[in-house]
Every structure is written in C-alpha cells, then in structure tokens.
Amino acid sequence: DTEVTQTPKHLVMGMTNKKSLKCEQHMGHRAMYWYKQKAKKPPELMFVYSYEKLSINESVPSRFSPECPNSSLLNLHLHALQPEDSALYLCASSGGGRLAANTGELFFGEGSRLTVL
Amino acid sequence: AQSVSQHNHHVILSEAASLELGCNYSYGGTVNLFWYVQYPGQHLQLLLKYFSGDPLVKGIKGFEAEFIKSKFSFNLRKPSVQWSDTAEYFCAVNAAGASGTYKYIFGTGTRLKVLA
C-alpha cells in the first residue's frame, strides 16, 4: 500500500469530456508532482507544486490544468484530451520534516490509468 | 541539459545469479541519487537513495548501490537475485536546475526478468 492516494484508478473519457484526477497525501510533504507514464517508458514530469505554488510546468499542453487546493491535495483537470494522452498518470510527494520540499525520495501513488477515446 | 542513462534495457537472469544495473548521469553539481523499482501491477517504490556520506548504500531486499563521483555513476547491485525481483528498475537523479528548483529526472528503465 502507498500513502499517496489517487482517484479514480481507471478513467475512460471522450475527447470532449471534462474530468479530474485527484491525489491526496497526509505525510506532511510540501512538494507534490504529476507524472505521465506510457507503457514501458519512464515517468515524465508534468508539474511540480512546492508549498502549494506551481514551481515547474514542463511545457504541458493547456488541456491539462493542475490545481493544489491545500498542502494535502493535488488535482489534475482534464479537458479536450487527445487519444495520445492515454497513459498512467502518477502523483507523487516529497519533502517532509527538515527536508526541503522537493528533495528527498518521491512517494508515488498507484496511478490513474486514463484512456481517451 | 541534465540526463540519466541506463545502459541495460532488458536483462534476463537465472535465480541466484548476480545483478549489476548501470546508471550514469550528466550533472556537475550536487545531486541526490535514487533507484526505484516497479513490480508488475504495482506503484513505483524506493529501493535505495544516496544523499551524502558513504558512497556504498544499502537498500531494501538485499540491493545496494555505489556512487562513484568521478564516473558520474550510481550502479545497482544484488549478489543473488530471486524470481520475485522481476520488475522494472529506474535510476533517478534529483538536482537543482538553473532556477534553483530541484527536479527529478528518471532514466529509461531496465526491465529485469528472473527465471526460476
């Protein structure tokens, strides 16, 4: 079991739909991440939030919109996606205690498997 | 630009064989180094990490890794693999970019299959 919880585990959506992926952690971590992972590929960084502020956007298309409502929650809003956006979307967190927000090991959720039709 | 290279993309071993997976990174500054493992159908989890100090670090399940600064390497080793070690292994580097913000960069992964 992981201490980073992602919902839903599976999502199927059409290209005109609007949906959201949610991530929650209660480890007191101050950095949270969205990664995209295609089959047999490494995770690719999308966004980093540090102390609830967006600190890194890896040139992700605007059809992906992140949101960090508070230090425990991270959302990824999806709109007008393309079939090539189908992938496993991973949330991770890091940085607790005396560690700086975005150093230290990453704690990953189990991911949300997205299929865009 | 920072990068992480894993030279072995697929490795097949018999049980009890020794394992060494290579990882090289390109970054001149201070780095934190990690190996993550992804078992089939499971989430990514940490095997071991290096921040500073003894360059030989031990992780879970009998894995260890050696940081060789002069070679920019952080190779993963296990003296005797088990069937349950079948998984994908990712090397990762955490380093500060030009803006001072730390980023994690993952290697391309090594898919290990252990034959019983």
Side-chain angles (χ1 to χ4, degrees), chain A residues 2 33 35 37 40-43 56 58 90 102-106 108-110, chain B residues 32 34 36 38 43-44 46 49 51 90 94 101-104 106-108 111:
Chain A
T2 171
Y33 308 75
Y35 281 87
Q37 188 179 25
K40 301 182 183 180
K41 297 288 186 185
I56 295 178
E58 290 285 274
L90 297 167
N102 49 7
T103 62
E105 68 183 271
L106 291 172
F108 282 93
E110 294 187 354
Chain B
N32 300 320
F34 307 83
Y36 288 88
Q38 192 168 30
H43 66 279
L44 277 155
L46 183 73
K49 60 189 176 188
F51 287 172
F90 293 98
N94 178 263
T101 302
Y102 276 77
K103 275 173 68 167
Y104 287 89
F106 282 83
T108 50
R111 196 168 287 265

Side-chain angles (χ1 to χ4, degrees), chain A:
Chain A
D1 282 349
T2 171
E3 295 180 78
V4 178
T5 306
Q6 289 188 244
T7 55
K9 291 196 187 316
H10 299 275
L11 178 63
V12 179
M13 60 187 289
M15 290 190 283
T16 58
N17 292 157
K18 283 186 184 180
K19 297 284 185 184
S20 297
L21 305 180
K22 296 185 185 301
C23 175
E24 190 168 1
Q25 59 87 14
H26 293 288
M27 295 178 281
H29 290 170
R30 304 315 302 264
M32 295 185 77
Y33 308 75
W34 280 114
Y35 281 87
K36 173 182 177 179
Q37 188 179 25
K38 292 275 214 181
K40 301 182 183 180
K41 297 288 186 185
E44 294 175 37
L45 182 64
M46 299 176 72
F47 302 103
V48 181
Y49 274 82
S50 181
Y51 293 93
E52 300 159 53
K53 288 188 167 48
L54 183 65
S55 62
I56 295 178
N57 176 344
E58 290 285 274
S59 303
V60 179
S62 60
R63 57 185 185 268
F64 296 92
S65 174
E67 178 197 18
C68 189
N70 60 53
S71 60
S72 300
L73 294 174
L74 185 66
N75 298 324
L76 186 63
H77 302 298
L78 314 171
H79 174 53
L81 295 194
Q82 305 295 312
E84 59 264 28
D85 296 321
S86 298
L88 182 68
Y89 288 84
L90 297 167
C91 176
S93 67
S94 72
R98 289 177 292 175
L99 284 175
N102 49 7
T103 62
E105 68 183 271
L106 291 172
F107 288 78
F108 282 93
E110 294 187 354
S112 293
R113 188 162 297 281
L114 173 67
T115 303
V116 182
L117 302 177

